[in-house]
PDB file of all heavy atoms in Angstrom:
ATOM      1  N   ILE A 185     -78.905  90.639-119.425  1.00 81.00           N
ATOM      2  CA  ILE A 185     -79.210  91.183-118.104  1.00 81.00           C
ATOM      3  C   ILE A 185     -80.719  91.343-117.920  1.00 81.00           C
ATOM      4  O   ILE A 185     -81.268  91.082-116.851  1.00 81.00           O
ATOM      5  CB  ILE A 185     -78.532  92.557-117.916  1.00 81.00           C
ATOM      6  CG1 ILE A 185     -77.014  92.430-117.985  1.00 81.00           C
ATOM      7  CG2 ILE A 185     -78.941  93.189-116.587  1.00 81.00           C
ATOM      8  CD1 ILE A 185     -76.290  93.766-118.017  1.00 81.00           C
ATOM      9  N   ALA A 186     -81.395  91.763-118.989  1.00 83.00           N
ATOM     10  CA  ALA A 186     -82.781  92.227-118.872  1.00 83.00           C
ATOM     11  C   ALA A 186     -83.831  91.131-118.840  1.00 83.00           C
ATOM     12  O   ALA A 186     -84.962  91.382-118.418  1.00 83.00           O
ATOM     13  CB  ALA A 186     -83.101  93.169-120.032  1.00 83.00           C
ATOM     14  N   MET A 187     -83.480  89.923-119.286  1.00 81.00           N
ATOM     15  CA  MET A 187     -84.501  88.880-119.425  1.00 81.00           C
ATOM     16  C   MET A 187     -85.322  88.684-118.165  1.00 81.00           C
ATOM     17  O   MET A 187     -86.547  88.600-118.204  1.00 81.00           O
ATOM     18  CB  MET A 187     -83.840  87.549-119.806  1.00 81.00           C
ATOM     19  CG  MET A 187     -83.544  87.401-121.260  1.00 81.00           C
ATOM     20  SD  MET A 187     -83.111  85.679-121.626  1.00 81.00           S
ATOM     21  CE  MET A 187     -81.818  85.356-120.429  1.00 81.00           C
ATOM     22  N   LYS A 188     -84.670  88.612-117.029  1.00 74.00           N
ATOM     23  CA  LYS A 188     -85.378  88.320-115.787  1.00 74.00           C
ATOM     24  C   LYS A 188     -86.117  89.541-115.251  1.00 74.00           C
ATOM     25  O   LYS A 188     -87.059  89.414-114.467  1.00 74.00           O
ATOM     26  CB  LYS A 188     -84.394  87.804-114.731  1.00 74.00           C
ATOM     27  CG  LYS A 188     -85.077  87.152-113.538  1.00 74.00           C
ATOM     28  CD  LYS A 188     -84.087  86.389-112.691  1.00 74.00           C
ATOM     29  CE  LYS A 188     -84.799  85.625-111.575  1.00 74.00           C
ATOM     30  NZ  LYS A 188     -83.857  84.825-110.769  1.00 74.00           N
ATOM     31  N   ILE A 189     -85.697  90.735-115.673  1.00 80.00           N
ATOM     32  CA  ILE A 189     -86.266  91.954-115.112  1.00 80.00           C
ATOM     33  C   ILE A 189     -87.537  92.377-115.844  1.00 80.00           C
ATOM     34  O   ILE A 189     -88.603  92.497-115.245  1.00 80.00           O
ATOM     35  CB  ILE A 189     -85.215  93.082-115.132  1.00 80.00           C
ATOM     36  CG1 ILE A 189     -84.038  92.693-114.226  1.00 80.00           C
ATOM     37  CG2 ILE A 189     -85.817  94.406-114.669  1.00 80.00           C
ATOM     38  CD1 ILE A 189     -82.910  93.689-114.234  1.00 80.00           C
ATOM     39  N   VAL A 190     -87.435  92.633-117.148  1.00 83.00           N
ATOM     40  CA  VAL A 190     -88.626  93.070-117.898  1.00 83.00           C
ATOM     41  C   VAL A 190     -89.070  92.053-118.939  1.00 83.00           C
ATOM     42  O   VAL A 190     -90.142  92.207-119.534  1.00 83.00           O
ATOM     43  CB  VAL A 190     -88.401  94.439-118.577  1.00 83.00           C
ATOM     44  CG1 VAL A 190     -88.270  95.526-117.543  1.00 83.00           C
ATOM     45  CG2 VAL A 190     -87.180  94.409-119.487  1.00 83.00           C
ATOM     46  N   GLY A 191     -88.264  91.033-119.199  1.00 84.00           N
ATOM     47  CA  GLY A 191     -88.657  90.007-120.155  1.00 84.00           C
ATOM     48  C   GLY A 191     -88.253  90.341-121.584  1.00 84.00           C
ATOM     49  O   GLY A 191     -87.968  91.494-121.920  1.00 84.00           O
ATOM     50  N   ILE A 192     -88.233  89.321-122.409  1.00 82.00           N
ATOM     51  CA  ILE A 192     -87.765  89.450-123.794  1.00 82.00           C
ATOM     52  C   ILE A 192     -88.608  90.432-124.598  1.00 82.00           C
ATOM     53  O   ILE A 192     -88.085  91.246-125.361  1.00 82.00           O
ATOM     54  CB  ILE A 192     -87.778  88.057-124.461  1.00 82.00           C
ATOM     55  CG1 ILE A 192     -86.700  87.171-123.824  1.00 82.00           C
ATOM     56  CG2 ILE A 192     -87.561  88.160-125.966  1.00 82.00           C
ATOM     57  CD1 ILE A 192     -86.814  85.710-124.195  1.00 82.00           C
ATOM     58  N   LEU A 193     -89.927  90.383-124.444  1.00 78.00           N
ATOM     59  CA  LEU A 193     -90.808  91.187-125.284  1.00 78.00           C
ATOM     60  C   LEU A 193     -90.859  92.661-124.897  1.00 78.00           C
ATOM     61  O   LEU A 193     -91.337  93.486-125.657  1.00 78.00           O
ATOM     62  CB  LEU A 193     -92.230  90.605-125.258  1.00 78.00           C
ATOM     63  CG  LEU A 193     -92.383  89.186-125.810  1.00 78.00           C
ATOM     64  CD1 LEU A 193     -93.845  88.754-125.787  1.00 78.00           C
ATOM     65  CD2 LEU A 193     -91.836  89.088-127.238  1.00 78.00           C
ATOM     66  N   LEU A 194     -90.374  93.016-123.708  1.00 84.00           N
ATOM     67  CA  LEU A 194     -90.485  94.392-123.238  1.00 84.00           C
ATOM     68  C   LEU A 194     -89.142  95.118-123.175  1.00 84.00           C
ATOM     69  O   LEU A 194     -89.093  96.296-122.821  1.00 84.00           O
ATOM     70  CB  LEU A 194     -91.140  94.410-121.844  1.00 84.00           C
ATOM     71  CG  LEU A 194     -92.535  93.775-121.755  1.00 84.00           C
ATOM     72  CD1 LEU A 194     -93.040  93.811-120.321  1.00 84.00           C
ATOM     73  CD2 LEU A 194     -93.508  94.494-122.674  1.00 84.00           C
ATOM     74  N   ILE A 195     -88.058  94.417-123.527  1.00 89.00           N
ATOM     75  CA  ILE A 195     -86.728  95.021-123.435  1.00 89.00           C
ATOM     76  C   ILE A 195     -86.635  96.267-124.315  1.00 89.00           C
ATOM     77  O   ILE A 195     -86.182  97.333-123.880  1.00 89.00           O
ATOM     78  CB  ILE A 195     -85.643  94.006-123.842  1.00 89.00           C
ATOM     79  CG1 ILE A 195     -85.542  92.891-122.801  1.00 89.00           C
ATOM     80  CG2 ILE A 195     -84.290  94.695-124.000  1.00 89.00           C
ATOM     81  CD1 ILE A 195     -84.651  91.741-123.222  1.00 89.00           C
ATOM     82  N   THR A 196     -87.050  96.153-125.576  1.00 88.00           N
ATOM     83  CA  THR A 196     -86.919  97.266-126.505  1.00 88.00           C
ATOM     84  C   THR A 196     -87.717  98.479-126.059  1.00 88.00           C
ATOM     85  O   THR A 196     -87.288  99.618-126.242  1.00 88.00           O
ATOM     86  CB  THR A 196     -87.370  96.846-127.919  1.00 88.00           C
ATOM     87  OG1 THR A 196     -86.784  95.585-128.240  1.00 88.00           O
ATOM     88  CG2 THR A 196     -86.934  97.860-128.956  1.00 88.00           C
ATOM     89  N   ALA A 197     -88.882  98.237-125.456  1.00 90.00           N
ATOM     90  CA  ALA A 197     -89.709  99.352-124.990  1.00 90.00           C
ATOM     91  C   ALA A 197     -88.974 100.172-123.943  1.00 90.00           C
ATOM     92  O   ALA A 197     -88.983 101.410-123.981  1.00 90.00           O
ATOM     93  CB  ALA A 197     -91.026  98.825-124.421  1.00 90.00           C
TER      94      ALA A 197
END
Side-chain angles (χ1 to χ4, degrees):
I185 298 171
M187 278 192 308
K188 194 167 186 178
I189 297 177
V190 293
I192 292 168
L193 298 183
L194 302 178
I195 291 171
T196 313

